[in-house]
């Protein structure tokens, strides 16, 4: 069985690096798959531990010129996130410091090098030796990261963005040094220095690195916020004493005390006390949830009002919070199919750009106007510094990171980038009925009182009963029953605060109902067969019973002392938000189908209430997968929403499986998307988020490809023969610096996304 690890990768600078690390990993025997994410700087590797181990993987990555670090143990996840955050902040400070030094030194170099534009610049500032002195620290200290990357690329016979920047600025700098040392040798070729190109381009690219690092740091905020939800310690009751212990040391079965305002450290069930708990950070539900004995509580949620004790049930990596963090990390580290084109282009991008720069130099040298050498150098440098493979590498992962993190804030957990992309292509969504469209348990929907001759109620004719009395008597007869319908009747009577009359001698009549004895006579509660068997005429209620059955409800007759009193109807009712969710999905252009094993009459009644037009009823659990396959055979892209164990195969068969968080672990494991709140509007939100994220990815890719497709030829000088337009290397460097920033910034717009149709 394959082992999967996610480990940090260091030394990557652009999209070209991603392919090299992946190639190094997949070349190791026993590695089944490897996916590297530039935005998170992590590699997800699936390998056979019988054939290889992490040491070999690390050696392969090091041989390619990069560094693969050991993944942190689950117990140290919070510390690992803190270390990663500290490392990112340190990188940002270093880039900011280098930019500040570069800017201070580059401004006078720019003014002195462009004295024809700024005639008021003092003559001393135009002195080549002063420009040399100011530029050299920028070239070799501020820009050392690019030269080091170029040397690294030479050693491993590869190329990256550092290669382009180092060669481009190095050519401008060395030419300028040659002009400064031997000005007479270049007099015939235009003795012009390019110190301003070298200094300003490096400074602008470092500025881009700094801004990109800041923006990329914001894309991973969702993980940091989730990890920070878990408290570091827990107050455990052991041997009659309370002690604060590390959360990682809490054991299953430990009793833990929670006081007002504290976060819950692990999952469990309340044993003593009561309170309200804010679960919004896990489910998106804004209202606090009441907690009483036996109620479940979850790690990371916040206790509000009371104090209580709970017994730990899930600890460490098994808590709901830990599983959510793992799902979000998996999604952020995965790769969407839409990224494949960018990956293929990035693999050959830098060599192509080097070839185009060489071709540009040769063309201008041979065909350009005087001074041809300077024109050739200027345009070749512009081609080198304007090309940006980073934008292509960041286009997809940054949007995936922000989108999946934002979804988690609304209780929508998306397991992979592929699921996110597939969901936006789905045109049909299939809902399981019981527990998904409906609440999953019966409740009383109607109480009908028998009518006397002429249409008056029994109560108006002076006989006996009201609706409350019918309900109270039915509940009294059912209070010893464990049947779901009986429990629903008793629950409704308690909700209304009804006093139940004393009833004894309970007898269950198999397949028919209940026979009991009340002070006023024998009580019968059951179906028509029970009434007929006891000789009770219920013709006056038969029409209403048929109407209730047509609505998918179970109608039970109630009789006392041989006289019918009325009907009590119960049904598994539609969730309050179901109709609105179905309507919202239709507005989004999706076809909605209901799939259930219930009878067609019941299924169609629920479907009418929900607004679902296509119903697949009386489907056995093992046949649900076949129904999904039939829809797919019709050419449909199908998303399936379910919650039970019997839904798991259908969820796996669907193009995208969506599990209700209130459902079983098996269904959640089989699904691609999990709705933590169990609210159907989450399915609408998932579709909206998918479409919005893919739109942002498409915008990023259009920008990344369009930028390089349009501006590289402009930098090469293709517009010069027609309009005399040339692109300054300084402007080229500025454009390259901000191309990656623009892609990441566009992705960050997803942080402001909110569901429009869903909650």
């Amino acid at each position: 069985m394959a082992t999967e690890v996610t480990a940090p990768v260091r030394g990557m600078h652009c999209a070209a690096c991603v392919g090299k690390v992946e190639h190094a990993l997949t070349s190791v025997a026993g590695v089944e798959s490897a996916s590297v994410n530039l935005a998170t700087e992590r590699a997800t590797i699936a390998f056979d531990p019988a054939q290889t181990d992490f040491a070999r993987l690390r050696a392969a990555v090091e041989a390619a010129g990069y560094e693969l670090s050991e993944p942190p143990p689950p117990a140290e996840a919070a510390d690992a996130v803190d270390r990663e955050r500290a490392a990112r902040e340190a990188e940002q400070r270093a880039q900011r410091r280098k930019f500040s030094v570069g800017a201070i030194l580059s401004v006078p170099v720019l003014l002195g090098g462009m004295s024809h534009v700024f005639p008021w610049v003092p003559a001393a500032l135009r002195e080549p030796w002063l420009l040399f002195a100011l530029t050299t620290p920028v070239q070799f200290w501020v820009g050392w990261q690019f030269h080091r990357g170029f040397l690294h690329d030479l050693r491993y016979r590869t190329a990256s963005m550092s290669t382009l920047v180092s060669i481009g600025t190095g050519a401008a700098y060395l030419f300028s040094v040659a002009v400064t040392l031997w000005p007479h040798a270049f007099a015939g070729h235009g003795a012009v220095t390019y110190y301003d190109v070298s200094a300003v381009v490096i400074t602008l690219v470092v500025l881009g690195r700094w801004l990109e690092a800041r923006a990329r740091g914001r894309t991973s905020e969702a993980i940091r916020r989730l990890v920070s939800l878990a408290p570091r310690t827990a107050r455990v009751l052991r041997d009659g004493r309370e002690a604060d212990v590390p959360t990682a040391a809490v054991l299953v079965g430990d009793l833990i005390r929670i006081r007002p305002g504290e976060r819950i450290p692990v999952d469990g069930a309340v044993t003593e006390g009561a309170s309200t708990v804010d679960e919004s950070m896990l489910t998106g539900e804004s209202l606090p949830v009441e907690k009483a004995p036996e109620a479940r509580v979850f790690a990371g949620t916040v206790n509000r009002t009371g104090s209580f004790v709970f017994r730990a049930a899930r600890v460490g990596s098994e808590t709901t919070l830990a599983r959510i963090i793992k799902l979000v990390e998996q999604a952020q580290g995965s790769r969407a199919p839409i990224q494949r084109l960018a990956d293929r282009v990035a693999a050959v991008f830098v060599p192509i750009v080097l070839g185009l720069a060489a071709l540009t130099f040769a063309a201008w040298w041979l065909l350009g106007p005087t001074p041809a050498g300077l024109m050739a150098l200027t345009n070749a440098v512009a081609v080198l510094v304007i090309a940006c493979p980073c934008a292509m590498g960041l286009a997809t992962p940054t949007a995936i990171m922000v989108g999946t993190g934002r979804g988690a804030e609304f209780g929508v957990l998306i397991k992979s980038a592929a699921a996110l992309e597939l969901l936006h292509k789905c045109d049909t969504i299939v809902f399981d009925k019981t527990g998904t469209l409906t609440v999953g348990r019966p409740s009383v929907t109607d109480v009908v009182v028998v009518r006397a001759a002429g249409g008056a109620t029994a109560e108006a004719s002076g006989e006996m009963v009201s609706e409350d009395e019918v309900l109270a008597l039915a509940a009294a007869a059912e209070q010893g029953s464990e049947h779901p319908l009986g429990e629903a009747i008793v629950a409704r009577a308690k909700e209304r605060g009804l006093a139940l009359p004393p009833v004894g001698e309970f007898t269950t009549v198999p397949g028919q109902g209940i026979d009991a004895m009340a002070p006023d006579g024998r009580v019968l509660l059951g179906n028509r067969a029970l009434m007929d068997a006891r000789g009770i005429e219920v013709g006056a209620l038969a029409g209403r019973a048929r109407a209730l059955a047509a609505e998918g409800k179970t109608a039970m007759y109630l009789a006392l002392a041989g006289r019918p009193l009325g009907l009590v109807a119960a049904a598994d009712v539609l969730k309050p938000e179901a109709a609105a969710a179905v309507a919202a999905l239709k507005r989004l252009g999706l076809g909605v189908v209901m799939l259930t094993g219930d009878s067609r009459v019941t299924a169609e009644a629920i479907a009418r209430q929900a607004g679902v037009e296509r119903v697949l009823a009386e489907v056995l659990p093992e046949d649900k997968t076949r129904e999904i396959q039939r829809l797919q055979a019709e050419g449909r892209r199908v998303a399936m929403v379910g919650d039970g164990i019997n839904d798991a195969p259908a969820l796996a068969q669907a193009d995208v499986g969506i599990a209700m968080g209130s459902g079983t672990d098996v269904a959640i494991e089989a699904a691609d998307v999990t709705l933590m709140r169990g609210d159907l509007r989450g399915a609408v939100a998932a579709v909206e988020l998918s479409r919005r994220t893919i739109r942002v990815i498409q915008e990023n890719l259009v920008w990344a490809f369009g930028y390089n497709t349009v501006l590289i030829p402009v930098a090469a000088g293709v517009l010069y023969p027609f309009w005399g337009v040339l692109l300054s290397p300084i402007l080229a460097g500025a454009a390259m610096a901000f191309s990656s920033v623009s892609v990441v910034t566009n992705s960050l717009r997803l942080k402001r996304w909110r569901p429009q149709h869903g909650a």
Side-chain angles (χ1 to χ4, degrees):
M1 184 175 179
T3 297
E4 184 173 284
V5 297
T6 299
V9 181
R10 299 286 178 261
M12 297 189 299
H13 301 296
C14 66
C17 302
V18 172
K20 297 164 193 169
V21 176
E22 287 184 348
H23 177 72
L25 288 169
T26 54
S27 63
V28 177
V31 173
E32 296 182 4
S33 64
S35 176
V36 179
N37 189 307
L38 178 62
T40 61
E41 296 181 302
R42 292 179 180 274
T44 301
I45 314 153
F47 63 94
D48 183 355
Q51 299 185 55
T52 190
D53 54 23
F54 192 84
R56 294 180 184 176
L57 300 177
R58 181 165 50 197
V61 172
E62 289 177 353
Y66 304 92
E67 179 185 345
L68 184 70
S69 304
E70 288 275 0
E76 300 178 8
D79 293 335
V81 170
D82 290 342
R83 288 195 297 270
E84 181 181 349
R85 183 175 186 176
R88 286 188 179 276
E89 290 175 350
E91 179 191 1
Q92 292 176 32
R93 287 193 299 270
Q95 297 291 1
R96 181 179 59 193
R97 182 168 57 251
K98 289 187 175 183
F99 166 70
S100 299
V101 172
I104 292 171
L105 296 176
S106 296
V107 168
V109 173
L110 177 64
L111 295 176
M114 301 184 68
S115 57
H116 57 287
V117 179
F118 308 108
W120 45 266
V121 174
L125 203 57
R126 306 174 194 175
E127 176 60 43
W129 285 102
L130 176 61
L131 298 179
F132 166 77
L134 293 172
T135 301
T136 300
V138 179
Q139 178 71 25
F140 293 105
W141 184 74
V142 177
W144 174 244
Q145 56 190 312
F146 307 114
H147 307 313
R148 182 180 58 207
F150 174 46
L151 295 174
H152 167 278
D153 292 342
L154 282 179
R155 177 183 176 186
Y156 292 99
R157 300 177 185 177
T158 184
S160 67
M161 189 189 78
S162 295
T163 300
L164 302 180
V165 175
S166 181
I167 292 177
T169 59
Y173 175 80
L174 293 176
F175 178 83
S176 301
V177 170
V179 171
T180 302
L181 293 174
W182 304 289
H184 300 294
F186 294 89
H189 303 283
V192 179
T193 61
Y194 285 92
Y195 288 120
D196 53 338
V197 171
S198 168
V200 175
V201 165
I202 284 180
T203 300
L204 288 173
V205 175
V206 170
L207 172 62
R209 283 272 179 100
W210 173 38
L211 296 177
E212 180 188 325
R214 288 183 58 190
R216 286 167 63 178
R218 291 171 59 196
T219 63
S220 58
E221 283 178 2
I223 290 290
R224 289 199 295 269
R225 282 201 299 268
L226 287 170
V227 170
S228 68
L229 293 179
R232 300 295 179 95
T233 61
R235 186 171 290 103
V236 178
L237 305 176
R238 290 176 180 168
D239 301 324
R241 293 184 300 175
E242 294 186 10
D244 288 336
V245 303
T247 299
V250 175
L251 305 175
V252 173
D254 277 344
L255 293 176
I256 301 168
R257 185 180 299 281
I258 301 295
R259 295 183 294 196
E262 292 183 336
R263 287 193 183 275
I264 296 169
V266 296
D267 293 2
V270 177
T271 60
E272 176 187 328
S275 183
T276 57
V277 175
D278 180 359
E279 298 182 347
S280 60
M281 62 288 299
L282 294 187
T283 66
E285 174 59 64
S286 58
L287 296 177
V289 181
E290 298 284 343
K291 299 295 181 182
E294 304 303 322
R296 296 173 64 193
V297 292
F298 304 98
T301 57
V302 180
N303 182 33
R304 286 300 184 198
T305 54
S307 177
F308 62 89
V309 175
F310 75 95
R311 188 179 301 278
R314 287 180 172 175
V315 300
S317 61
E318 298 302 315
T319 67
T320 300
L321 176 61
R323 294 166 71 193
I324 289 174
I325 293 171
K326 182 179 179 181
L327 287 174
V328 175
E329 285 181 333
Q330 286 176 346
Q332 292 187 345
S334 62
R335 182 172 303 175
I338 197 173
Q339 177 72 9
R340 290 171 184 162
L341 176 60
D343 291 342
R344 288 196 293 268
V345 173
V348 296
F349 182 82
V350 175
I352 289 175
V353 171
L354 290 172
L356 289 174
L359 184 62
T360 298
F361 184 88
W364 281 94
W365 179 274
L366 297 174
L367 305 175
T370 304
L374 294 180
M375 298 280 281
L377 178 64
T378 300
N379 292 325
V381 170
V383 169
L384 289 171
V385 299
I386 202 169
C388 185
C390 287
M392 289 183 287
L394 294 170
T396 297
T398 52
I400 294 295
M401 286 180 67
V402 181
T404 53
R406 187 61 172 161
E409 294 177 16
F410 285 93
V412 178
L413 299 184
I414 299 172
K415 289 186 178 179
S416 68
L420 191 68
E421 181 175 346
L422 276 174
L423 186 55
H424 107 283
K425 297 179 180 179
C426 287
D427 53 28
T428 302
I429 188 162
V430 177
F431 286 100
D432 173 57
K433 182 184 81 70
T434 305
T436 302
L437 279 175
T438 65
V439 295
R441 61 184 182 277
S443 60
V444 173
T445 58
D446 301 85
V447 178
V448 180
V449 176
V450 72
R451 293 183 178 275
T457 64
E459 184 179 22
S461 64
E463 293 187 2
M464 173 191 145
V465 294
S466 66
E467 287 189 6
D468 281 353
E469 289 172 317
V470 169
L471 182 59
L473 188 59
E478 289 281 12
Q479 62 184 338
S481 170
E482 295 182 356
H483 192 282
L485 294 177
E487 292 176 349
I489 293 172
V490 174
R492 179 55 56 87
K494 288 182 178 179
E495 287 175 10
R496 293 191 181 183
L498 302 180
L500 306 186
V503 174
E505 299 183 18
F506 298 95
T507 303
T508 299
V509 182
Q512 295 184 356
I514 285 179
D515 182 337
M517 182 60 70
D520 295 329
R522 186 164 297 281
V523 179
L524 298 174
L525 179 65
N527 56 23
R528 179 69 180 267
L530 178 63
M531 300 297 121
D532 291 343
R534 301 303 174 90
I536 298 173
E537 176 54 47
V538 292
L541 293 167
R544 187 61 190 278
R546 286 193 296 271
L548 291 170
E551 295 174 6
K553 301 172 182 177
T554 301
M556 294 162 281
Y557 294 88
L558 178 69
L560 176 65
R563 181 169 56 88
L565 298 184
L567 292 169
V568 179
D572 182 9
V573 297
L574 202 65
K575 286 183 176 178
E577 76 278 4
V582 170
L585 290 167
K586 288 182 176 179
R587 288 196 297 273
L588 292 172
L590 278 79
V592 183
V593 179
M594 189 176 79
L595 180 63
T596 179
D598 283 356
S599 68
R600 180 159 294 278
V601 171
T602 301
E604 290 181 345
I606 291 293
R608 283 194 299 272
Q609 297 174 40
V612 178
E613 296 167 357
R614 183 169 179 178
V615 179
L616 303 176
E618 301 175 357
V619 179
L620 296 175
E622 58 269 25
D623 292 334
K624 287 185 176 181
T625 301
R626 190 175 297 113
E627 293 295 337
I628 298 296
Q629 291 172 337
R630 286 177 183 171
L631 290 170
Q632 292 170 328
E634 295 174 10
R636 298 173 181 265
R637 288 288 185 100
V638 180
M640 165 80 181
V641 186
D643 75 319
I645 291 176
N646 60 357
D647 295 326
L651 290 170
Q653 174 61 41
D655 295 283
V656 178
I658 303 175
M660 309 298 286
S662 55
T664 64
D665 289 346
V666 175
I668 293 172
E669 190 66 28
D672 303 296
V673 180
T674 300
L675 309 180
M676 292 303 299
R677 288 173 57 185
D679 189 318
L680 289 173
R681 288 169 295 190
V684 187
V687 173
E688 290 179 342
L689 177 61
S690 171
R691 293 183 178 184
R692 185 74 187 98
T693 304
I694 296 303
R695 189 181 309 129
V696 168
I697 290 174
Q698 290 169 342
E699 292 168 355
N700 287 347
L701 290 174
V702 167
W703 164 255
F705 283 108
Y707 162 86
N708 286 292
T709 301
V710 172
L711 292 187
I712 289 178
V714 172
V718 296
L719 300 181
Y720 184 80
F722 307 99
W723 297 288
V725 175
L726 288 175
L727 188 64
S728 163
I730 293 176
L731 294 179
M736 191 271 275
F738 286 99
S739 61
S740 297
V741 177
S742 65
V743 166
V744 178
T745 303
N746 189 48
S747 297
L748 286 172
R749 291 192 301 123
L750 285 167
K751 292 176 70 66
R752 300 194 299 269
W753 172 85
R754 296 187 65 86
Q756 298 300 311
H757 298 87

